[in-house]
Amino acid sequence: MNIENYLNRIEEADVYKRFGKIHRVVGIMIESVGPAANIGEVCYIHPGLNKGKKPVLAEVVGFNNENIILMPYNEVSEIGPGCLVESTGKPLTVKIGRSLIGNVIDSLGKPLDGSELPNGLSNYLTEQAPPNPMSRPTINEPIQVGVKAIDSMLTVGRGQRIGLFAGSGVGKSTLLGMIARNSKADINVIALIGERGREVREFIEKDLGQEGLHKSIVVVATSDQPALMRIKGAYTATAIAEYFRELGYNVNLMMDSVTRVAMAQREVGLATGEPPTTKGYTPSVFSILPKLLERAGTDKNGAITAFYTVLVDGDDMNEPIADTVRGILDGHFVMDRKLAEQGQYPAINILKSISRVMNQIVSSEHQELAQRARALVAKYEDNRDLIQIGAYKRGTDHEIDQAILYYPKIMTFLKQGVYEKLSLEETIENLRMVLNGGN
């Protein structure tokens, strides 16, 4: 036994605790004189007079001359001038493991119901680098999502990243619940970022249900929480999905919504002095989005199939965040308010939606069926006004006649009840029957 190594370690150990002091607090920003810390490190802020209070967790987000700028993970009311700031010297880590499945946790990995964390969990950094592009296997097999409109017309590959684009109240959360229950993935990691407090339990009990929760981990950061907690909710959920991918699992990552992550980053950016650019979004927003979204996908061990909802203001599909996210992801599903108003659920507009890997992962027959159905719907939509006012006479154009015949059948096929469940094979067979004259 070489005791020299242990003695060297003892001599090199830093046995001093270094503290800084709160200098000022402006809005959501806390400025401190010291301690020495790097960007991204977690610090403890010790309340001064309230001896019974627990230290407040905060993160270093910037510098102002020699002072460090901190943002707290929780609301603070007992911090004042002169409060001590202690650096941990480490970025945020959360505890992750198989025994976490079935739990609802916050952005710091703590159970929301106040219970103790299960045993046997490992510490894991929330911020990780995306996999090396050369180590990513290509997406070459479909995964059952369990939603007819997606499995038939917009087939998703194992390890694909998809954006669900919709305005408010068009059924995004309901669709995520259907995917969580019906998908063939081993584990679901669901991040509810910036949601109303009322909707969290509603989503877990109604949309997700016991069946979905049994194979899911839900990460919650509600809209009333500080901006940093909402950002960390997205990072924590992604880190959990990465942990299970490394173990070889096929993981579904569902984030509702990435727009609220961008809004939270805008708050942080503006507070630290970044200049606002398009629609008030700061440059850091457009730099963190690719880093966050690229972490999903395939790697040599397993795959993360990701679904990110994008809340589009006023149904404007070209607003800055929607435009940026659409350019990063491997496909986009547009949820149409008009379809929702007509009672077509899920309200996915198949003509405006695309899965960029579908042609690589489906059979030639399936591809042909999907293209034919899409062409019939497109032909009907192009001539909808003529057909509805009675200006079109049957027999004038064979293609329009076919569209009039098949359009109601295709739309009925794409409609699906919330608790209706079909396998990928059953969905393709049903589409074949619809297009070959069946019901």
Side-chain angles (χ1 to χ4, degrees), residues 80-386:
C83 284
L84 295 179
V85 180
E86 177 191 350
S87 175
T88 62
K90 298 174 185 175
L92 181 67
T93 59
V94 291
K95 290 187 176 294
I96 308 173
R98 288 186 183 90
S99 53
L100 206 58
I101 298 169
N103 281 286
V104 182
I105 59 174
D106 65 12
S107 302
L108 305 179
K110 296 173 182 172
L112 270 192
D113 59 5
S115 63
E116 292 294 318
L117 278 170
N119 294 325
L121 302 179
S122 309
N123 284 321
Y124 199 83
L125 284 171
T126 58
E127 294 199 35
Q128 302 280 344
N132 186 314
M134 295 305 290
S135 71
R136 286 184 186 268
T138 55
I139 298 168
N140 53 20
E141 61 176 297
I143 184 170
Q144 176 188 307
V145 173
V147 178
K148 288 191 287 183
I150 296 173
D151 283 343
S152 61
M153 311 291 287
L154 303 159
T155 313
V156 173
R158 182 173 169 270
Q160 189 176 352
R161 298 161 306 144
I162 293 291
L164 300 175
F165 292 74
S168 54
V170 187
K172 296 187 303 299
S173 298
T174 305
L175 180 59
L176 287 183
M178 287 174 70
I179 294 170
R181 290 193 308 273
N182 300 345
S183 170
K184 272 289 185 75
D186 303 318
I187 295 167
N188 299 310
V189 180
I190 304 166
L192 303 178
I193 310 298
E195 287 289 321
R196 304 172 190 89
R198 172 187 65 81
E199 287 183 335
V200 172
R201 190 159 181 181
E202 204 171 88
F203 174 83
I204 292 166
E205 292 181 0
K206 293 184 179 177
D207 296 331
L208 191 58
Q210 280 301 315
E211 182 188 355
L213 186 60
H214 187 64
K215 63 169 187 175
S216 301
I217 299 169
V218 184
V219 182
V220 175
T222 50
S223 57
D224 59 295
Q225 292 183 321
L228 207 57
M229 279 291 268
R230 282 174 270 147
I231 297 167
K232 290 300 168 187
Y235 281 97
T236 297
T238 307
I240 293 169
E242 286 171 325
Y243 173 85
F244 286 105
R245 178 177 64 185
E246 284 179 15
L247 297 179
Y249 285 96
N250 181 19
V251 186
N252 268 357
L253 171 62
M254 288 171 268
M255 191 176 294
D256 185 15
S257 73
V258 75
T259 309
R260 293 193 177 112
V261 178
M263 288 176 173
Q265 181 61 37
R266 177 173 63 183
E267 280 183 51
V268 172
L270 291 172
T272 53
E274 281 190 75
T277 54
T278 320
K279 277 203 171 180
Y281 288 103
T282 55
S284 63
V285 173
F286 301 103
S287 69
I288 71 150
L289 283 176
K291 290 176 187 173
L292 177 64
L293 304 181
E294 282 291 337
R295 286 169 64 180
T298 58
D299 81 351
K300 60 187 177 185
N301 301 312
I304 299 172
T305 308
F307 298 88
Y308 300 98
T309 68
V310 182
L311 188 64
V312 287
D313 294 331
D315 296 326
D316 175 17
M317 296 296 165
N318 296 315
E319 61 101 29
I321 299 304
D323 215 30
T324 303
V325 171
R326 190 165 49 235
I328 298 166
L329 299 178
D330 310 317
H332 53 272
F333 299 167
V334 176
M335 302 188 74
D336 196 325
R337 193 175 296 279
K338 285 183 181 177
L339 289 175
E341 288 166 355
Q342 292 165 12
Q344 181 78 27
Y345 285 103
I348 299 171
N349 188 323
I350 59 167
L351 299 180
K352 292 181 181 177
S353 306
I354 191 168
S355 170
R356 290 181 183 166
V357 303
M358 180 176 175
N359 292 346
Q360 304 163 28
I361 59 174
V362 300
S363 66
S364 55
E365 185 202 6
H366 181 182
Q367 194 173 329
E368 198 176 304
L369 288 169
Q371 286 173 349
R372 188 178 162 207
R374 189 184 283 262
L376 288 166
V377 172
K379 180 62 74 172
Y380 186 91
E381 291 294 344
D382 287 345
N383 297 278
R384 177 186 281 274
D385 293 341
L386 287 174

Side-chain angles (χ1 to χ4, degrees), residues 14-20 35-36 44 46 84-88:
D14 187 358
V15 294
Y16 290 95
K17 276 190 177 180
R18 291 171 175 79
F19 293 89
Y44 290 117
H46 296 274
L84 295 179
V85 180
E86 177 191 350
S87 175
T88 62

